[in-house]
Each structure stands twice: as structure tokens, then as C-alpha cells.
Amino acid sequence: LVEMVKDALAASGMQEVISYPLISLDGLEKVEWPHPANPHLRVANPLSAVEEFLRPTLRPSLLGTLASNKGHGEGPFRLFEVGRVFWSRPDELPDEREMVSGVLAGRRWEPSWLETSESLGFYDAKGALEGLLERLGVSAGYEPAEDPCFSPGRCARIVAGGVALGTVGEGH
């Protein structure tokens, strides 16, 4: 399944990134974490004082990669990551979950005199997501949602068979 997800996203024009599972507290705060059900998991003996927390979400790593790439051009940037996140469990080892996350930013098209300079947005992300779900044979719907990482009114929960699969939204 993981390889199918990666292949589908790469086929849609997205580029895979791979990042370390350790992140900084600053990175968590930038995506307005903590989640009430998942407090920070600090590593007892980190290799670096900067990256001392197990990531509960792929967002900080992916947005950090986007920020680094934006320093080299106007895009388009179509990035995704499939990786493990770590959720705390009282008195037990963390729950490791395989997740996928993506980000689209910058120009919709490569710079050209033939194309306008429109920016990628919510419906581009939703379209990429729908292509992935279709390729996986998943029929999903969308419900309005609120997430501090996304602009108000530009966020939806992805639901299939009564189960929340994730969130899609437009960042601030």
C-alpha cells in the first residue's frame, strides 16, 4: 500500500521528500502542536539539542523542506512525504503510525510566456488527493473542519466509510 501511495503521488507530479523522525520544539509550535491527545515525546538522549522530539506529525518536516526550496525559486512546489509519526501512550512505548502528507505551493505552472502566474491553492490539493484516493479505490467525502494550521473556511476532513482519513486545507 505504501508503494502504491508513493507511485500515485509521484505520477501526479509530486516529488517525494524524506526527513528525519526527530524535530524541534520550534517546529512543533510553528504548526500549532500539541494535540490534546498526543503530548510531545522527548528523546532521552538526543544527538542534537535542536532535534529532540519524535515527530507526531509530518507537517513540520514537510514545511521546513518547502521553506528551504522556496529560497531557490517561485515553484511550483509539489512535495509529499510518507513516514512514521509517533503518538504517546501512557506507560507504554509510543504508537508508530505510517502517514502521508503533502504540500503544494508557488506557481501553478513552470514560468512560461504561455501560462499565467496563478498560484496553487486548496482545489489543487483536493484534486491531487482525489486522484490518489481514486487510484487506491477509496470513495471518500469531505466535511468542514477547523485546524489551526489552515485558513478558516479552507479546511476539510476526509471521510470514508465513517472513518476520518485525514485533513486537506489551505495554509495561512
Short mmCIF file of all heavy atoms in Angstrom, two decimals, residues 14 59 62-63 66 77 79 100-106 119-130 133 141-159 165-172:
data_model
loop_
_atom_site.label_atom_id
_atom_site.label_comp_id
_atom_site.label_asym_id
_atom_site.label_seq_id
_atom_site.Cartn_x
_atom_site.Cartn_y
_atom_site.Cartn_z
N MET A 14 4.07 15.01 -8.11
CA MET A 14 4.64 15.41 -6.83
C MET A 14 6.00 14.75 -6.64
O MET A 14 6.28 13.71 -7.22
CB MET A 14 3.69 15.05 -5.69
CG MET A 14 2.37 15.79 -5.77
SD MET A 14 1.25 15.43 -4.40
CE MET A 14 2.00 16.41 -3.09
N ARG A 59 4.00 17.43 9.30
CA ARG A 59 3.91 18.83 8.88
C ARG A 59 5.19 19.64 9.08
O ARG A 59 5.60 20.34 8.17
CB ARG A 59 2.73 19.53 9.56
CG ARG A 59 1.40 19.08 9.06
CD ARG A 59 0.29 19.78 9.82
NE ARG A 59 -1.02 19.31 9.42
CZ ARG A 59 -2.14 19.69 10.01
NH1 ARG A 59 -2.12 20.55 11.02
NH2 ARG A 59 -3.29 19.22 9.59
N LEU A 62 7.89 18.63 6.49
CA LEU A 62 7.49 18.94 5.12
C LEU A 62 7.50 20.45 4.87
O LEU A 62 7.98 20.91 3.83
CB LEU A 62 6.10 18.36 4.86
CG LEU A 62 5.69 18.15 3.43
CD1 LEU A 62 6.69 17.32 2.64
CD2 LEU A 62 4.32 17.48 3.38
N LEU A 63 7.00 21.21 5.83
CA LEU A 63 7.01 22.67 5.66
C LEU A 63 8.42 23.24 5.72
O LEU A 63 8.72 24.23 5.06
CB LEU A 63 6.11 23.32 6.72
CG LEU A 63 4.61 23.03 6.54
CD1 LEU A 63 3.82 23.59 7.72
CD2 LEU A 63 4.09 23.59 5.23
N LEU A 66 9.78 22.68 2.31
CA LEU A 66 9.17 23.68 1.42
C LEU A 66 9.86 25.03 1.57
O LEU A 66 10.23 25.66 0.58
CB LEU A 66 7.68 23.82 1.70
CG LEU A 66 6.97 24.95 0.94
CD1 LEU A 66 7.02 24.69 -0.57
CD2 LEU A 66 5.54 25.11 1.44
N PHE A 77 5.92 24.02 -6.35
CA PHE A 77 6.42 23.06 -5.39
C PHE A 77 5.30 22.08 -5.10
O PHE A 77 4.23 22.48 -4.63
CB PHE A 77 6.87 23.75 -4.10
CG PHE A 77 7.91 24.80 -4.33
CD1 PHE A 77 7.57 26.14 -4.29
CD2 PHE A 77 9.22 24.45 -4.59
CE1 PHE A 77 8.52 27.12 -4.51
CE2 PHE A 77 10.18 25.42 -4.81
CZ PHE A 77 9.83 26.76 -4.78
N LEU A 79 5.26 18.65 -3.08
CA LEU A 79 6.05 17.74 -2.26
C LEU A 79 5.15 16.82 -1.45
O LEU A 79 4.05 17.21 -1.05
CB LEU A 79 6.94 18.53 -1.30
CG LEU A 79 7.81 19.63 -1.89
CD1 LEU A 79 8.49 20.42 -0.79
CD2 LEU A 79 8.82 19.05 -2.85
N VAL A 100 0.95 9.83 5.47
CA VAL A 100 1.33 10.54 4.25
C VAL A 100 0.87 11.98 4.40
O VAL A 100 -0.18 12.25 4.98
CB VAL A 100 0.72 9.88 2.98
CG1 VAL A 100 -0.80 9.91 3.01
CG2 VAL A 100 1.23 10.55 1.72
N SER A 101 1.70 12.89 3.92
CA SER A 101 1.36 14.30 3.97
C SER A 101 1.92 14.95 2.71
O SER A 101 2.94 14.51 2.17
CB SER A 101 1.98 14.94 5.22
OG SER A 101 1.55 16.26 5.37
N GLY A 102 1.26 15.98 2.26
CA GLY A 102 1.72 16.67 1.06
C GLY A 102 1.55 18.16 1.20
O GLY A 102 0.79 18.65 2.03
N VAL A 103 2.27 18.89 0.35
CA VAL A 103 2.14 20.34 0.32
C VAL A 103 2.32 20.81 -1.12
O VAL A 103 3.19 20.31 -1.85
CB VAL A 103 3.16 21.01 1.28
CG1 VAL A 103 4.59 20.74 0.87
CG2 VAL A 103 2.91 22.51 1.39
N LEU A 104 1.47 21.72 -1.52
CA LEU A 104 1.56 22.35 -2.84
C LEU A 104 1.71 23.85 -2.60
O LEU A 104 0.98 24.42 -1.80
CB LEU A 104 0.29 22.10 -3.66
CG LEU A 104 -0.15 20.65 -3.86
CD1 LEU A 104 -1.45 20.62 -4.65
CD2 LEU A 104 0.91 19.85 -4.57
N ALA A 105 2.63 24.46 -3.29
CA ALA A 105 2.84 25.90 -3.09
C ALA A 105 3.48 26.50 -4.33
O ALA A 105 4.05 25.80 -5.17
CB ALA A 105 3.75 26.14 -1.87
N GLY A 106 3.39 27.81 -4.42
CA GLY A 106 4.02 28.53 -5.51
C GLY A 106 3.15 28.59 -6.75
O GLY A 106 1.93 28.45 -6.68
N SER A 119 -1.34 30.94 -8.59
CA SER A 119 -0.74 30.13 -7.52
C SER A 119 -1.55 28.86 -7.28
O SER A 119 -2.77 28.84 -7.50
CB SER A 119 -0.67 30.93 -6.22
OG SER A 119 0.19 32.02 -6.37
N LEU A 120 -0.87 27.84 -6.82
CA LEU A 120 -1.54 26.61 -6.40
C LEU A 120 -2.40 26.91 -5.17
O LEU A 120 -2.04 27.77 -4.35
CB LEU A 120 -0.51 25.53 -6.06
CG LEU A 120 0.26 24.97 -7.24
CD1 LEU A 120 1.54 24.29 -6.77
CD2 LEU A 120 -0.61 24.00 -8.02
N GLY A 121 -3.52 26.22 -5.01
CA GLY A 121 -4.41 26.50 -3.88
C GLY A 121 -5.13 25.27 -3.39
O GLY A 121 -4.77 24.12 -3.71
N PHE A 122 -6.18 25.49 -2.63
CA PHE A 122 -6.95 24.44 -1.99
C PHE A 122 -7.45 23.40 -2.98
O PHE A 122 -7.33 22.20 -2.76
CB PHE A 122 -8.14 25.05 -1.23
CG PHE A 122 -9.07 24.03 -0.64
CD1 PHE A 122 -8.78 23.45 0.58
CD2 PHE A 122 -10.23 23.67 -1.30
CE1 PHE A 122 -9.63 22.50 1.13
CE2 PHE A 122 -11.09 22.72 -0.75
CZ PHE A 122 -10.80 22.14 0.47
N TYR A 123 -8.01 23.84 -4.09
CA TYR A 123 -8.60 22.89 -5.03
C TYR A 123 -7.55 22.09 -5.79
O TYR A 123 -7.81 20.97 -6.23
CB TYR A 123 -9.58 23.60 -5.97
CG TYR A 123 -10.79 24.08 -5.19
CD1 TYR A 123 -10.94 25.42 -4.85
CD2 TYR A 123 -11.74 23.17 -4.75
CE1 TYR A 123 -12.03 25.85 -4.11
CE2 TYR A 123 -12.84 23.59 -4.00
CZ TYR A 123 -12.98 24.92 -3.69
OH TYR A 123 -14.05 25.32 -2.93
N ASP A 124 -6.35 22.62 -5.92
CA ASP A 124 -5.25 21.83 -6.48
C ASP A 124 -4.89 20.68 -5.53
O ASP A 124 -4.69 19.54 -5.97
CB ASP A 124 -4.02 22.71 -6.73
CG ASP A 124 -4.28 23.79 -7.76
OD1 ASP A 124 -4.48 23.44 -8.94
OD2 ASP A 124 -4.30 24.97 -7.37
N ALA A 125 -4.82 21.00 -4.24
CA ALA A 125 -4.52 19.96 -3.24
C ALA A 125 -5.63 18.93 -3.19
O ALA A 125 -5.38 17.71 -3.16
CB ALA A 125 -4.32 20.61 -1.86
N LYS A 126 -6.87 19.38 -3.22
CA LYS A 126 -8.01 18.46 -3.19
C LYS A 126 -8.00 17.58 -4.43
O LYS A 126 -8.27 16.38 -4.36
CB LYS A 126 -9.31 19.25 -3.09
CG LYS A 126 -10.54 18.40 -2.89
CD LYS A 126 -11.76 19.28 -2.63
CE LYS A 126 -13.01 18.45 -2.49
NZ LYS A 126 -13.76 18.31 -3.72
N GLY A 127 -7.65 18.13 -5.58
CA GLY A 127 -7.57 17.35 -6.81
C GLY A 127 -6.50 16.28 -6.75
O GLY A 127 -6.71 15.14 -7.17
N ALA A 128 -5.33 16.63 -6.19
CA ALA A 128 -4.25 15.64 -6.04
C ALA A 128 -4.68 14.53 -5.09
O ALA A 128 -4.43 13.35 -5.34
CB ALA A 128 -2.98 16.32 -5.52
N LEU A 129 -5.36 14.91 -4.03
CA LEU A 129 -5.86 13.93 -3.06
C LEU A 129 -6.90 13.01 -3.70
O LEU A 129 -6.87 11.80 -3.52
CB LEU A 129 -6.45 14.65 -1.85
CG LEU A 129 -7.11 13.78 -0.81
CD1 LEU A 129 -6.10 12.86 -0.16
CD2 LEU A 129 -7.80 14.63 0.23
N GLU A 130 -7.82 13.59 -4.46
CA GLU A 130 -8.86 12.77 -5.10
C GLU A 130 -8.25 11.80 -6.11
O GLU A 130 -8.70 10.66 -6.24
CB GLU A 130 -9.91 13.66 -5.75
CG GLU A 130 -10.79 14.31 -4.72
CD GLU A 130 -11.79 15.29 -5.29
OE1 GLU A 130 -11.67 15.69 -6.47
OE2 GLU A 130 -12.71 15.67 -4.54
N LEU A 133 -6.86 8.92 -3.99
CA LEU A 133 -7.92 8.07 -3.48
C LEU A 133 -8.56 7.23 -4.59
O LEU A 133 -8.86 6.05 -4.39
CB LEU A 133 -8.98 8.91 -2.76
CG LEU A 133 -8.52 9.61 -1.48
CD1 LEU A 133 -9.61 10.55 -0.96
CD2 LEU A 133 -8.10 8.62 -0.42
N GLY A 141 -15.59 11.27 1.16
CA GLY A 141 -16.33 12.51 1.17
C GLY A 141 -15.58 13.53 2.02
O GLY A 141 -14.54 13.22 2.62
N TYR A 142 -16.10 14.74 2.06
CA TYR A 142 -15.44 15.83 2.78
C TYR A 142 -16.43 16.49 3.71
O TYR A 142 -17.60 16.68 3.36
CB TYR A 142 -14.87 16.84 1.79
CG TYR A 142 -13.87 16.24 0.85
CD1 TYR A 142 -14.28 15.68 -0.36
CD2 TYR A 142 -12.53 16.18 1.18
CE1 TYR A 142 -13.37 15.09 -1.22
CE2 TYR A 142 -11.61 15.59 0.32
CZ TYR A 142 -12.04 15.05 -0.88
OH TYR A 142 -11.14 14.45 -1.72
N GLU A 143 -15.95 16.84 4.91
CA GLU A 143 -16.75 17.56 5.89
C GLU A 143 -15.98 18.81 6.29
O GLU A 143 -14.76 18.77 6.39
CB GLU A 143 -16.95 16.70 7.14
CG GLU A 143 -17.66 15.41 6.93
CD GLU A 143 -17.69 14.54 8.19
OE1 GLU A 143 -16.99 14.87 9.19
OE2 GLU A 143 -18.41 13.53 8.17
N PRO A 144 -16.68 19.92 6.53
CA PRO A 144 -15.97 21.11 7.00
C PRO A 144 -15.22 20.81 8.29
O PRO A 144 -15.68 20.04 9.13
CB PRO A 144 -17.10 22.12 7.27
CG PRO A 144 -18.26 21.61 6.49
CD PRO A 144 -18.11 20.12 6.42
N ALA A 145 -14.04 21.40 8.42
CA ALA A 145 -13.22 21.16 9.60
C ALA A 145 -12.48 22.43 9.97
O ALA A 145 -12.36 23.35 9.15
CB ALA A 145 -12.24 20.02 9.35
N GLU A 146 -11.98 22.46 11.16
CA GLU A 146 -11.14 23.55 11.64
C GLU A 146 -9.81 22.97 12.06
O GLU A 146 -9.76 21.94 12.73
CB GLU A 146 -11.79 24.28 12.82
CG GLU A 146 -13.06 25.03 12.47
CD GLU A 146 -12.84 26.16 11.47
OE1 GLU A 146 -11.81 26.85 11.55
OE2 GLU A 146 -13.70 26.32 10.58
N ASP A 147 -8.74 23.60 11.65
CA ASP A 147 -7.39 23.17 12.01
C ASP A 147 -6.56 24.44 12.09
O ASP A 147 -6.55 25.22 11.13
CB ASP A 147 -6.84 22.21 10.94
CG ASP A 147 -5.52 21.60 11.32
OD1 ASP A 147 -4.59 22.35 11.69
OD2 ASP A 147 -5.39 20.37 11.21
N PRO A 148 -5.85 24.67 13.20
CA PRO A 148 -5.11 25.92 13.33
C PRO A 148 -4.02 26.11 12.28
O PRO A 148 -3.56 27.22 12.06
CB PRO A 148 -4.51 25.84 14.73
CG PRO A 148 -4.60 24.41 15.14
CD PRO A 148 -5.72 23.81 14.37
N CYS A 149 -3.62 25.05 11.61
CA CYS A 149 -2.59 25.13 10.58
C CYS A 149 -3.14 25.67 9.25
O CYS A 149 -2.38 26.09 8.39
CB CYS A 149 -1.99 23.74 10.37
SG CYS A 149 -0.26 23.76 9.93
N PHE A 150 -4.47 25.66 9.11
CA PHE A 150 -5.09 26.05 7.84
C PHE A 150 -5.95 27.30 8.00
O PHE A 150 -6.43 27.61 9.08
CB PHE A 150 -5.95 24.91 7.29
CG PHE A 150 -5.18 23.65 7.00
CD1 PHE A 150 -5.45 22.48 7.67
CD2 PHE A 150 -4.17 23.66 6.05
CE1 PHE A 150 -4.75 21.32 7.41
CE2 PHE A 150 -3.45 22.50 5.78
CZ PHE A 150 -3.73 21.33 6.46
N SER A 151 -6.17 27.97 6.89
CA SER A 151 -7.01 29.17 6.89
C SER A 151 -8.45 28.81 7.22
O SER A 151 -8.95 27.77 6.75
CB SER A 151 -6.97 29.83 5.50
OG SER A 151 -5.67 30.25 5.19
N PRO A 152 -9.14 29.65 8.00
CA PRO A 152 -10.54 29.37 8.34
C PRO A 152 -11.39 29.27 7.06
O PRO A 152 -11.23 30.05 6.13
CB PRO A 152 -10.96 30.59 9.17
CG PRO A 152 -9.68 31.13 9.72
CD PRO A 152 -8.63 30.85 8.67
N GLY A 153 -12.26 28.28 7.03
CA GLY A 153 -13.12 28.08 5.88
C GLY A 153 -12.45 27.41 4.70
O GLY A 153 -13.08 27.17 3.67
N ARG A 154 -11.17 27.08 4.83
CA ARG A 154 -10.41 26.44 3.74
C ARG A 154 -9.81 25.13 4.22
O ARG A 154 -8.68 24.79 3.91
CB ARG A 154 -9.30 27.37 3.25
CG ARG A 154 -9.75 28.74 2.82
CD ARG A 154 -10.64 28.73 1.63
NE ARG A 154 -9.85 28.63 0.41
CZ ARG A 154 -10.36 28.52 -0.78
NH1 ARG A 154 -11.66 28.47 -0.94
NH2 ARG A 154 -9.59 28.42 -1.83
N CYS A 155 -10.61 24.37 4.96
CA CYS A 155 -10.13 23.13 5.54
C CYS A 155 -11.28 22.11 5.53
O CYS A 155 -12.42 22.47 5.80
CB CYS A 155 -9.67 23.39 6.97
SG CYS A 155 -9.07 21.95 7.85
N ALA A 156 -10.96 20.87 5.21
CA ALA A 156 -11.97 19.81 5.20
C ALA A 156 -11.38 18.52 5.75
O ALA A 156 -10.21 18.22 5.56
CB ALA A 156 -12.48 19.58 3.78
N ARG A 157 -12.22 17.78 6.44
CA ARG A 157 -11.86 16.45 6.93
C ARG A 157 -12.22 15.45 5.83
O ARG A 157 -13.30 15.52 5.24
CB ARG A 157 -12.63 16.14 8.22
CG ARG A 157 -12.29 14.81 8.85
CD ARG A 157 -13.01 14.61 10.20
NE ARG A 157 -12.68 15.68 11.14
CZ ARG A 157 -13.50 16.68 11.47
NH1 ARG A 157 -14.70 16.77 10.97
NH2 ARG A 157 -13.11 17.61 12.33
N ILE A 158 -11.34 14.51 5.56
CA ILE A 158 -11.56 13.48 4.55
C ILE A 158 -12.13 12.27 5.27
O ILE A 158 -11.53 11.76 6.21
CB ILE A 158 -10.24 13.11 3.84
CG1 ILE A 158 -9.54 14.37 3.34
CG2 ILE A 158 -10.47 12.12 2.73
CD1 ILE A 158 -8.05 14.32 3.44
N VAL A 159 -13.31 11.80 4.82
CA VAL A 159 -14.00 10.71 5.49
C VAL A 159 -14.37 9.63 4.48
O VAL A 159 -14.87 9.93 3.40
CB VAL A 159 -15.29 11.23 6.19
CG1 VAL A 159 -16.01 10.11 6.91
CG2 VAL A 159 -14.96 12.35 7.15
N LEU A 165 -10.04 9.99 7.54
CA LEU A 165 -8.75 9.59 6.96
C LEU A 165 -7.69 10.67 7.13
O LEU A 165 -6.49 10.37 7.15
CB LEU A 165 -8.90 9.29 5.47
CG LEU A 165 -9.88 8.19 5.09
CD1 LEU A 165 -9.91 8.04 3.58
CD2 LEU A 165 -9.49 6.88 5.75
N GLY A 166 -8.10 11.92 7.18
CA GLY A 166 -7.13 12.99 7.27
C GLY A 166 -7.78 14.33 7.05
O GLY A 166 -9.00 14.48 7.16
N THR A 167 -6.94 15.30 6.68
CA THR A 167 -7.38 16.68 6.51
C THR A 167 -6.73 17.25 5.26
O THR A 167 -5.58 16.95 4.96
CB THR A 167 -6.94 17.52 7.73
OG1 THR A 167 -7.37 16.87 8.93
CG2 THR A 167 -7.53 18.91 7.69
N VAL A 168 -7.46 18.08 4.56
CA VAL A 168 -6.92 18.83 3.44
C VAL A 168 -7.28 20.29 3.68
O VAL A 168 -8.37 20.60 4.18
CB VAL A 168 -7.46 18.32 2.08
CG1 VAL A 168 -8.97 18.45 1.98
CG2 VAL A 168 -6.79 19.02 0.91
N GLY A 169 -6.35 21.18 3.39
CA GLY A 169 -6.64 22.59 3.64
C GLY A 169 -5.65 23.50 2.97
O GLY A 169 -4.66 23.07 2.39
N GLU A 170 -5.93 24.78 3.07
CA GLU A 170 -5.06 25.82 2.52
C GLU A 170 -4.37 26.53 3.69
O GLU A 170 -5.05 27.03 4.59
CB GLU A 170 -5.88 26.82 1.70
CG GLU A 170 -5.05 27.83 0.99
CD GLU A 170 -5.88 28.69 0.06
OE1 GLU A 170 -6.56 28.13 -0.83
OE2 GLU A 170 -5.87 29.93 0.25
N GLY A 171 -3.06 26.53 3.67
CA GLY A 171 -2.29 27.13 4.76
C GLY A 171 -2.40 28.64 4.80
O GLY A 171 -2.85 29.27 3.85
N HIS A 172 -1.99 29.20 5.92
CA HIS A 172 -2.01 30.66 6.10
C HIS A 172 -0.99 31.31 5.21
O HIS A 172 0.05 30.84 4.95
CB HIS A 172 -1.67 31.03 7.55
CG HIS A 172 -2.65 30.48 8.55
ND1 HIS A 172 -3.91 30.95 8.69
CD2 HIS A 172 -2.53 29.45 9.43
CE1 HIS A 172 -4.54 30.26 9.64
NE2 HIS A 172 -3.72 29.35 10.10
#
